[in-house]
Amino acid sequence: MSALDYLQRLEAESIHIFREVVAECEKPVMLYSVGKDSSVMLHLARKAFAPAQPPFPLLQIASGWDFREMLEFRDATAKKYDLELLVYTNEEGERAGVKPWTHGAAYSDIMLTQALRQALDQYGFDAAFGGGRRDEEKSRAKERIFSFRSAQHRWDPKNQRPELWSLYNARKNRGESIRVFPLSNWTELDVWQYIHLQQVPIVPLYLAKPRPVVRRDGRLIMVDDERLPLAASDRVETLSVRFRTLGCYPLTGATLSTADDLPAVIGEMLATKTSEREGRGVDKDGAASMEKRKQEGYF
Amino acid sequence: MVGGKRSGGAGLVAGDIEEYLRRHKAKSLLRFITCGSVDDGKSSLIGRLLYESKMIFEDQFAALRDDSKKVGTRGGELDFALLVDGLAAEREQGITIDVAYRFFTTEKRKFIVADTPGHEQYTRNMVTGASTADLAVILIDARKGVLTQTRRHSYLAALLGIRHIVVAVNKMDLVGYSQEVFDTIERDYRDFAHQIKLEAITCIPVSAVVGDNITSRSTLTPWYSGPQLLEHLESVAVPDLAEGAAFRMPVQWVNRPNAEFRGFAGLIASGVVRRGDALRVLPSGRTSTVARVLNSEGEALLGRAGESVTLTLADEIDVSRGDVLAAADAPPAVANQFEATIVWMHDEPLLQGRAYLLKLGTKTVIATVAPIKYRVNVNTMEHLAAKKLDLNDIGVCGLELSTAIAFEPYSDSRVLGGFILIDRLTNNTVGAGLLHFALRRSQNVHWQALDVNKRARALLSHQKPCILWFTGLSGAGKSTIANLVEKQLHADGRHTYLLDGDNVRHGLNKDLGFTDEARVENIRRVAEVARLMVDSGLIVMVSFISPFRSERRMARALVEAGEFIEVFVDTPLAQAEARDVKGLYKKARRGELKNFTGIDSPYEAPEDPEIRLDTTRLTSEAAASRVIAYLREADIIDVGYDPGI
């Protein structure tokens, strides 16, 4: 009998976390962003409660600018596993015409952060699973696995509960909630390796294929539908690209790539020279921006 | 990738990836903590390790270069500490203030590093980081030598069961790479470590800033022949002992998708479980055999330490969250009184006699802190007398739980011996603890030596018995306030009883009327009952008009000094009459009630009550809080009863 390898240990830890939340919280929900981390989370959640179904719904915050393939994948996944799927959009923001290119940094605040808070309040969820990993970013490295939020959804990095051994304190008063990160101790490589080993389904956008793109501020933006405003000088090219992270398509830069299967993607990842978040537009406003957004309730 | 190839990953062609992944998957994991005093260079050391193990991406490197110029402490040179000092607040202050977890991989191992703070007030974070670590890297500034913090952190590492210590004597560049300096520090440290029974110690002279002996041997320390830091971290053996131990699994969740399936889900703390194994459920002691083992891949033959599984049993026996499933022939002990070490982690001190929630494994129970045996001075390892533990204090004390639980000594099992304490009002995690052994009366000389008397009973209930004597006019609010006080005391886990004038007159005193003689006898009987209750260890609330000073004095004389607390519920007659909740004043005014206090029978207000509650200014709630505050000040509650007196 060989010892458990570290991926098996990570898997066991994540399953333990899912079960603690379900045992101790009244109304959990899983934040389902449709990305690769969400795919792994869902895979682990299904294992944690088998042969029962995961005893919580999935919640997707739809900004209205998600890649079409993400929405198709989302609906197909919910249908395939017979899961309850909640989709929430900040309708006020939508009516006000908040678009990725009209409101700058306020866009993601209104359509993602605010929307998430509204959704959590509306349904009264007291615990929400998120796919955040500590290796992603400096302020995430300090996040607890069970991260306490005030009734205003605020995170107070100076006043976090000590988290020892595998003992999680899920107790809270009415209105307060916790964000739970079952993948806290996973790295990007671990996630990819697990997807590969377990054949976890992921959105095809992670694999390279010829896609229509335009160049914006040094990034390749995919022309996912006709709503992307194109200037006369814009030239739509069809290039073999893939995405390292997924979000709103007008804000997510594609990577030139020919990696059309998982080993090739992992090979590119190992050789890559930039960190995962670099492709995301929202993180560009200074080193402390992530921490600030988290304090405000972003995942 | 900056600094070269990243773990051999770059430049791989697709065909090699599968092979790379196989090798990567087979790597073992080492979790370690870094600790040391402020400015010893912890963050620099981790930043250096990340950099040298090629974990820094180009965009991160560019940010580091910018940040080093803007806020660096190295005069524009690369400041590796900036790679790991995450939170904006601490970047401004230049110190690390919370636990940060870092990940890096080398050809041989995967690492998770907990960067834990050096400042004294943040010891709780160090304990947090240490709780999951296999090894500790303790930094010592070569210019300063072994400091108070070094001792504290080493003691905590030993306490939390870390067996491997690396002493990184840092800033060797600032002492001219002096062997003498290094040798002195090593000798000092080993002397100290020996006292706290730390055995596996490796001392390495390094400079995190310059890079000496971090990932390659420094030419500036030719006198040093031991391993460099990374080499040591990659090769040190940290065997996992859990798998060889007897089977234990705290039950997390009962899985009941339908009537046919009833599974018990949990993470196996130790040992191996197979189909057909005989198991015992604790604390109930019932037994059954394993029918099915389900692991993350489905039906399995066995489950082992570290795996999350779901077990079904052959018999329909009662098992719920918080129970422990264990090998039937080698079950853990069950007890409800323990000796434990507690590390206090909150601004509000831990108090003897106060009740907290205790979570151990998957079980949460109420725990009352029995007398604190001693507090540890972490500089001298001296044992000091203490009645409370302040933030970052470490003490050994007795614990009494509301329910018996299955447990193992922390030295045998982190899972069944480590616990957290949670404040019942704020839900904060306020302390962490390690169970050592169960206390039985026979093992506790203190308790055994006492006759079963008032003090002994009080010791068991962790409160000082007393009488709270509420006196005042009819309708003043005595019973309302007494009731609120009792509710609060009860919520705090106190043993109380409320003797209410009206209620007692329905039974014990139903033969008595309202003449002066009858009133005296009424009070005498109640005072005697209250005295018996004090003797039994209770906090007794007496809510009686008790109009005469002499009877109140008589009641006071029945018990010991300090045990009688007179609470004057001070309401002017006009106001009590205006309220007239029971309509009694009206009756009395109409002459239908004789000898009614305040109307045709006198009320002698207390001259010097312990507590005076002015109900024209205080709400009932505020009045009750005032009483609770008094009890706290008078050491009746919250500060334990000292058995030594």
Side-chain angles (χ1 to χ4, degrees):
Chain A
M1 197 163 42
S2 61
L4 295 181
D5 65 44
Y6 78 89
L7 263 186
Q8 288 171 313
R9 289 190 184 277
L10 285 175
E11 181 189 64
E13 179 188 68
S14 300
I15 289 173
H16 176 255
I17 291 163
F18 272 112
R19 290 170 173 172
E20 279 300 284
V21 172
V22 163
E24 295 215 344
C25 296
E26 281 172 30
K27 201 174 175 189
V29 65
M30 183 172 132
L31 267 292
Y32 183 69
S33 74
V34 208
K36 65 180 193 308
D37 301 303
S38 283
S39 287
V40 169
M41 266 214 297
L42 179 57
H43 191 76
L44 291 164
R46 294 183 61 243
K47 281 174 182 272
F49 303 102
Q53 283 278 62
F56 43 77
L58 308 186
L59 170 66
Q60 195 234 346
I61 302 301
S63 66
W65 298 91
D66 304 280
F67 287 93
R68 281 177 301 169
E69 277 185 85
M70 287 171 71
L71 302 183
E72 286 160 22
F73 182 85
R74 174 196 74 190
D75 295 338
T77 301
K79 193 162 173 243
K80 182 162 85 184
Y81 300 127
D82 191 24
L83 300 166
E84 185 187 352
L85 170 71
L86 307 169
V87 177
Y88 187 92
T89 300
N90 184 349
E91 285 171 5
E92 210 179 313
E94 203 173 51
R95 272 197 302 276
V98 176
K99 294 185 178 67
W101 54 84
T102 57
H103 286 69
Y107 162 79
S108 63
D109 177 58
I110 295 165
M111 297 312 286
L112 299 173
T113 310
Q114 300 295 339
L116 173 62
R117 287 158 59 162
Q118 290 167 5
L120 294 177
D121 287 342
Q122 179 183 314
Y123 291 103
F125 293 120
D126 67 338
F129 295 105
R133 304 189 319 266
R134 285 170 173 162
D135 82 321
E136 272 178 78
E137 197 267 343
K138 272 192 280 196
S139 89
R140 284 238 196 261
K142 312 215 161 188
E143 177 90 79
R144 302 293 189 261
I145 293 174
F146 280 48
S147 186
F148 180 78
R149 294 293 189 277
S150 70
Q152 290 74 42
H153 300 285
R154 288 187 75 89
W155 179 59
D156 181 358
K158 285 206 178 154
N159 194 22
Q160 298 195 77
R161 291 174 177 177
E163 203 163 75
L164 294 102
W165 301 290
S166 50
L167 286 174
Y168 305 109
N169 175 1
R171 302 185 73 87
K172 56 210 164 312
N173 290 314
R174 190 156 292 282
E176 297 166 346
S177 60
I178 45 173
R179 307 283 166 91
V180 182
F181 303 99
L183 304 183
S184 285
N185 287 328
W186 296 57
T187 64
E188 188 185 10
L189 178 59
D190 298 334
V191 167
W192 279 117
Q193 183 153 13
Y194 191 75
I195 289 169
H196 182 47
L197 282 171
Q198 295 272 320
Q199 301 179 324
V200 179
I202 51 166
V203 185
L205 290 161
Y206 286 111
L207 303 178
K209 79 171 196 188
R211 295 184 169 96
V213 293
V214 290
R215 291 174 198 274
R216 288 275 157 85
D217 305 326
R219 288 183 299 160
L220 296 169
I221 301 298
M222 181 169 157
V223 186
D224 196 45
D225 58 33
E226 69 299 336
R227 294 178 299 166
L228 188 74
L230 295 173
S233 58
D234 276 332
R235 196 159 57 85
V236 180
E237 302 167 80
T238 300
L239 299 172
S240 179
V241 294
R242 64 178 187 90
F243 294 87
R244 291 183 63 198
T245 60
L246 294 174
C248 303
Y249 83 80
L251 296 174
T252 308
T255 312
L256 282 172
S257 168
T258 54
D260 57 1
D261 63 12
L262 279 177
V265 167
I266 294 170
E268 277 194 5
M269 197 211 84
L270 289 170
T272 194
K273 290 183 167 59
T274 54
S275 71
E276 205 176 0
R277 287 201 159 261
E278 207 240 8
R280 292 194 195 172
V282 291
D283 294 336
K284 294 249 164 175
D285 308 333
S289 77
M290 184 65 158
E291 184 186 341
K292 201 162 146 271
R293 296 180 63 218
K294 277 178 59 182
Q295 287 182 17
E296 287 158 3
Y298 177 74
F299 238 81
Chain B
M1 200 77 26
V2 175
K5 225 158 63 120
R6 180 199 195 190
S7 338
L12 286 170
V13 292
D16 298 337
I17 294 294
E18 299 280 358
E19 172 56 24
Y20 170 83
L21 292 177
R22 251 191 304 282
R23 268 194 291 126
H24 183 69
K25 191 172 184 295
K27 286 175 190 171
S28 61
L29 174 68
L30 182 77
R31 292 187 72 139
F32 69 95
I33 55 168
T34 54
C35 34
S37 304
V38 178
D39 296 333
D40 280 347
K42 288 184 310 298
S43 295
S44 298
L45 183 84
I46 295 175
R48 171 67 69 171
L49 281 172
L50 296 179
Y51 176 76
E52 299 278 357
S53 60
K54 335 294 185 223
M55 297 304 286
I56 310 300
F57 292 105
E58 271 186 1
D59 55 333
Q60 291 171 333
F61 188 76
L64 172 66
R65 219 167 30 215
D66 288 355
D67 285 356
S68 294
K69 283 184 194 133
K70 264 189 286 179
V71 289
T73 55
R74 310 250 319 123
E77 295 273 297
L78 286 183
D79 185 351
F80 291 109
L82 295 175
L83 282 172
V84 288
D85 283 350
L87 302 180
E90 73 197 63
R91 291 175 70 169
E92 281 151 22
Q93 290 170 23
I95 54 162
T96 309
I97 57 166
D98 205 328
V99 193
Y101 297 91
R102 298 280 150 202
F103 303 79
F104 70 95
T105 308
T106 67
E107 287 291 352
K108 296 192 176 122
R109 250 188 186 157
K110 282 179 68 88
F111 298 93
I112 301 180
V113 195
D115 183 12
T116 61
H119 197 286
E120 180 160 8
Q121 66 177 300
Y122 294 114
T123 291
R124 65 174 206 168
N125 296 326
M126 147 96 204
V127 171
T128 303
S131 73
T132 51
D134 309 305
L135 177 148
V137 176
I138 293 177
L139 277 107
I140 295 180
D141 186 329
R143 296 169 303 175
K144 295 178 187 160
V146 176
L147 297 178
T148 300
Q149 290 306 301
T150 315
R151 283 192 276 266
R152 173 180 284 261
H153 292 146
S154 303
Y155 171 73
L156 288 175
L159 185 70
L160 284 156
I162 296 178
R163 293 186 174 84
H164 301 270
I165 302 288
V166 174
V167 178
V169 180
N170 193 23
K171 308 197 184 183
M172 286 302 291
D173 53 319
L174 301 182
V175 296
Y177 299 96
S178 158
Q179 178 177 7
E180 199 188 330
V181 169
F182 177 78
D183 286 349
T184 305
I185 291 172
E186 172 159 15
R187 205 163 42 240
D188 286 353
Y189 188 83
R190 285 190 186 276
D191 281 351
F192 165 72
H194 185 68
Q195 291 171 38
I196 57 170
K197 299 189 173 66
L198 276 174
E199 301 298 342
I201 294 158
T202 306
C203 295
I204 307 176
V206 302
S207 167
V209 164
V210 181
D212 295 302
N213 291 329
I214 304 290
T215 56
S216 60
R217 188 163 297 279
S218 171
T219 55
L220 299 165
T221 53
W223 42 266
Y224 174 73
S225 58
Q228 30 95 353
L229 179 62
L230 192 62
E231 179 188 347
H232 179 70
L233 294 177
E234 281 181 324
S235 58
V236 62
V238 280
D240 184 3
L241 306 172
E243 199 162 304
F247 173 73
R248 277 109 179 73
M249 184 186 93
V251 175
Q252 272 193 291
W253 187 67
V254 181
N255 194 342
R256 296 210 73 167
N258 53 56
E260 280 78 59
F261 188 91
R262 185 154 170 268
F264 306 105
L267 196 148
I268 300 175
S270 63
V272 175
V273 66
R274 291 181 174 81
R275 233 181 270 173
D277 280 358
L279 295 188
R280 194 178 294 274
V281 185
L282 299 162
S284 76
R286 291 188 188 86
T287 56
S288 184
T289 51
V290 178
R292 295 170 66 191
V293 179
L294 283 82
N295 66 16
S296 64
E297 301 303 319
E299 200 79 32
L301 290 173
L302 58 84
R304 55 210 164 122
E307 275 189 292
S308 279
V309 296
T310 302
L311 306 178
T312 67
L313 301 180
D315 310 280
E316 280 238 356
I317 56 172
D318 191 20
V319 182
S320 49
R321 175 174 167 84
D323 289 343
V324 173
L325 296 178
D329 56 355
V334 170
N336 68 348
Q337 288 182 12
F338 299 96
E339 179 161 308
T341 297
I342 291 180
V343 181
W344 198 245
M345 301 184 155
H346 205 259
D347 297 328
E348 292 274 312
L350 167 133
L351 299 173
Q352 288 186 167
R354 181 170 281 181
Y356 300 91
L357 292 174
L358 178 150
K359 185 174 181 184
L360 177 139
T362 57
K363 184 90 177 169
T364 303
V365 298
I366 294 175
T368 309
V369 180
I372 297 172
K373 273 182 79 178
Y374 57 83
R375 185 169 71 78
V376 179
N377 177 332
V378 293
N379 306 330
T380 60
M381 304 304 128
E382 245 182 313
H383 296 177
L384 308 169
K387 287 196 168 186
K388 58 173 188 168
L389 295 179
D390 289 317
L391 177 64
N392 294 316
D393 276 351
I394 298 161
V396 171
C397 61
L399 275 182
E400 188 175 305
L401 310 190
S402 55
T403 322
I405 59 164
F407 81 101
E408 288 188 294
Y410 182 81
S411 53
D412 291 349
S413 168
R414 285 187 180 187
V415 177
L416 289 178
F419 62 88
I420 54 171
L421 293 173
I422 300 168
D423 185 275
R424 293 201 289 171
L425 277 180
T426 63
N427 293 319
N428 278 323
T429 303
V430 288
L434 323 168
L435 293 184
H436 300 313
F437 48 84
L439 287 175
R440 290 177 193 88
R441 298 281 184 96
S442 59
Q443 290 175 343
N444 191 316
V445 179
H446 247 339
W447 298 7
Q448 180 68 9
L450 292 164
D451 291 326
V452 181
N453 56 19
K454 175 158 56 178
R455 205 164 267 144
R457 292 187 199 96
L459 192 61
L460 264 186
S461 52
H462 311 297
Q463 61 189 21
K464 207 156 137 184
C466 67
I467 298 172
L468 279 166
W469 191 283
F470 292 82
T471 173
L473 292 170
S474 175
K478 298 181 297 297
S479 295
T480 308
I481 296 166
N483 193 39
L484 286 169
V485 170
E486 186 176 34
K487 258 164 70 178
Q488 175 70 48
L489 290 173
H490 185 75
D492 286 345
R494 307 291 153 204
H495 301 264
T496 58
Y497 195 80
L498 174 53
L499 286 165
D500 183 82
D502 291 346
N503 296 350
V504 172
R505 277 185 177 277
H506 281 294
L508 178 67
N509 291 355
K510 71 177 168 193
D511 56 326
L512 300 177
F514 291 90
T515 62
D516 284 358
E517 292 79 355
R519 282 179 185 279
V520 171
E521 174 61 10
N522 184 33
I523 297 305
R524 188 193 68 80
R525 290 185 193 175
V526 168
E528 284 291 351
V529 170
R531 186 184 70 80
L532 288 171
M533 288 180 163
V534 165
D535 197 53
S536 79
L538 296 180
I539 296 173
V540 189
M541 272 142 286
V542 177
S543 172
F544 272 66
I545 297 172
S546 49
F548 306 132
R549 281 185 201 117
S550 60
E551 274 66 53
R552 298 198 297 264
R553 210 175 297 133
M554 177 267 293
R556 186 186 287 268
L558 285 176
V559 291
E560 289 178 38
E563 287 180 341
F564 187 91
I565 298 154
E566 195 169 14
V567 186
F568 179 28
V569 184
D570 190 0
T571 305
L573 177 63
Q575 196 174 348
E577 192 171 356
R579 285 189 212 144
D580 203 7
V581 188
K582 298 172 194 160
L584 297 174
Y585 284 95
K586 278 196 200 76
K587 276 191 183 173
R589 288 289 183 200
R590 288 199 298 268
E592 294 163 22
L593 269 181
K594 291 285 174 210
N595 300 323
F596 194 75
T597 303
I599 307 295
D600 56 350
S601 181
Y603 178 78
E604 299 169 9
E607 282 163 340
D608 191 18
E610 271 77 8
I611 305 171
R612 179 176 164 273
L613 303 171
D614 181 354
T615 63
T616 62
R617 291 161 179 271
L618 293 171
T619 62
S620 303
E621 283 75 15
S625 302
R626 178 100 31 119
V627 175
I628 296 285
Y630 177 90
L631 293 179
R632 207 159 270 153
E633 273 166 32
D635 284 8
I636 301 285
I637 53 171
D638 290 343
V639 175
Y641 205 53
D642 191 340
I645 298 168

